[in-house]
Amino acid sequence: EAQVTQNPRYLITVTGKKLTVTCSQNMNHEYMSWYRQDPGLGLRQIYYSMNVEVTDKGDVPEGYKVSRKEKRNFPLILESPSPNQTSLYFCASSLSGTGPEAFFGQGTRLTVV
Amino acid sequence: GESVGLHLPTLSVQEGDNSIINCAYSNSASDYFIWYKQESGKGPQFIIDIRSNMDKRQGQRVTVLLNKTVKHLSLQIAATQPGDSAVYFCAENNNAGNMLTFGGGTRLMVKP
C-alpha cells in the first residue's frame, strides 16, 4: 500500500529537549516536504526536498532542521523545541515538485511545554 | 481526531445539493493550483488540480474553475454527500514549482 508514515503520532515534550519526527514514504517519490498546521493559519511549509541531499527552506523554517540522506526518509528535527512549535505536523511526498502532493502522512501532534 | 481549525469559514449544504467553495490566491505568478480535502484526524487528500493555462477542469463529481484575472479559484461539488463533509484547502504552486502555499481552508458541513 502506497503511504507516507510519520512517527510518532502524538508527542509531548519539554522546552529545549531535542526531538526528531520521522517520515518515510514507500513510493520512490523524489519530492518530500514538511508542513505545520495551526488554527487560523492553515498549512505552512517548513522545509522541502527535491531529491536526496537536496533540501530547501519553506515559509517557516526557523527552529527546524531536516535531512535527506536517502530517498524514502525525510526526518524533521527540532534541536531546541519551544512552546511556539506546538502544532500539528504533516509530512508529504510526490513524484516531483511540480506535481500534486498526492500523499500526506497522518500527522504528528506535538506539544511543547 | 485532530482539529484542523477553530475559526474556519463554514459552508453548510443539504445532502444532494451542489456546493461551491471559493478561494482567493495571492501570487499572480502561480501557475498550478490544487484542491485538498482534509477529514478529521487525517492528512490532506488530493482532490483535483488545474494549471494556469486552463480555466476549468472536471473530475468525477468535482469541477475546479480558475479566474486568473481576479486570482480566484473555486471548487464545485455536485450532489454533495455526507462523506464530503471535511475541510477543503486550495493551494498554489509558484513558478519555481517547488513550494505550495495553502489557503486557510473552508469547512463543508453536509446536512442529511
Side-chain angles (χ1 to χ4, degrees):
Chain A
E1 180 189 354
Q3 59 186 5
V4 177
T5 304
Q6 294 177 230
N7 279 296
R9 291 291 311 278
Y10 301 92
L11 177 61
I12 301 174
T13 190
V14 296
T15 299
K17 185 177 180 181
K18 180 179 178 180
L19 67 91
T20 300
V21 184
T22 64
C23 175
S24 180
Q25 49 94 3
N26 62 359
M27 296 163 281
N28 202 36
H29 283 168
E30 291 185 349
Y31 184 94
M32 297 184 74
S33 62
W34 276 102
Y35 295 86
R36 60 178 289 173
Q37 187 172 34
D38 302 289
L41 297 174
L43 284 132
R44 293 179 293 167
Q45 195 167 34
I46 302 171
Y47 268 95
Y48 63 94
S49 169
M50 298 293 290
N51 213 325
V52 175
E53 302 292 359
V54 180
T55 63
D56 284 289
K57 296 177 180 179
D59 291 322
V60 288
E62 294 77 21
Y64 304 94
K65 285 174 55 178
V66 293
S67 70
R68 189 89 182 275
K69 292 184 169 53
E70 49 190 339
K71 205 173 203 180
R72 64 182 289 121
N73 295 323
F74 190 45
L76 179 70
I77 303 153
L78 284 73
E79 294 273 3
S80 183
S82 62
N84 65 11
Q85 292 178 297
T86 293
S87 188
L88 179 59
Y89 291 87
F90 287 101
C91 179
S93 78
S94 66
L95 197 56
S96 70
T98 55
E101 289 190 9
F103 295 93
F104 276 77
Q106 289 285 79
T108 295
R109 169 66 73 184
L110 172 65
T111 302
V112 183
V113 298
Chain B
E2 303 295 342
S3 64
V4 171
L6 297 177
H7 304 292
L8 289 172
T10 298
L11 175 65
S12 186
V13 300
Q14 203 69 40
E15 180 179 358
D17 288 350
N18 297 334
S19 303
I20 300 176
I21 301 171
N22 296 306
C23 176
Y25 63 92
S26 55
N27 188 348
S28 57
S30 294
D31 59 355
Y32 178 61
F33 305 88
I34 309 169
W35 279 99
Y36 287 95
K37 172 186 180 183
Q38 187 174 25
E39 296 172 283
S40 181
K42 297 182 179 179
Q45 178 185 9
F46 170 84
I47 301 173
I48 192 168
D49 59 355
I50 188 168
R51 298 207 173 269
S52 59
N53 60 351
M54 304 171 69
D55 53 20
K56 180 179 180 179
R57 190 162 188 227
Q58 287 185 291
Q60 190 168 10
R61 259 192 318 117
V62 294
T63 301
V64 55
L65 299 177
L66 174 63
N67 185 331
K68 294 182 287 295
T69 303
V70 295
K71 293 189 288 188
H72 183 267
L73 199 62
S74 69
L75 177 71
Q76 300 177 0
I77 304 174
T80 314
Q81 302 167 0
D84 294 326
S85 294
V87 177
Y88 289 81
F89 294 94
C90 65
E92 58 183 298
N93 187 318
N94 62 26
N95 266 342
N98 298 331
M99 285 180 56
L100 277 180
T101 301
F102 281 78
T106 297
R107 187 183 306 278
L108 176 66
M109 297 177 62
V110 182
K111 296 177 287 187

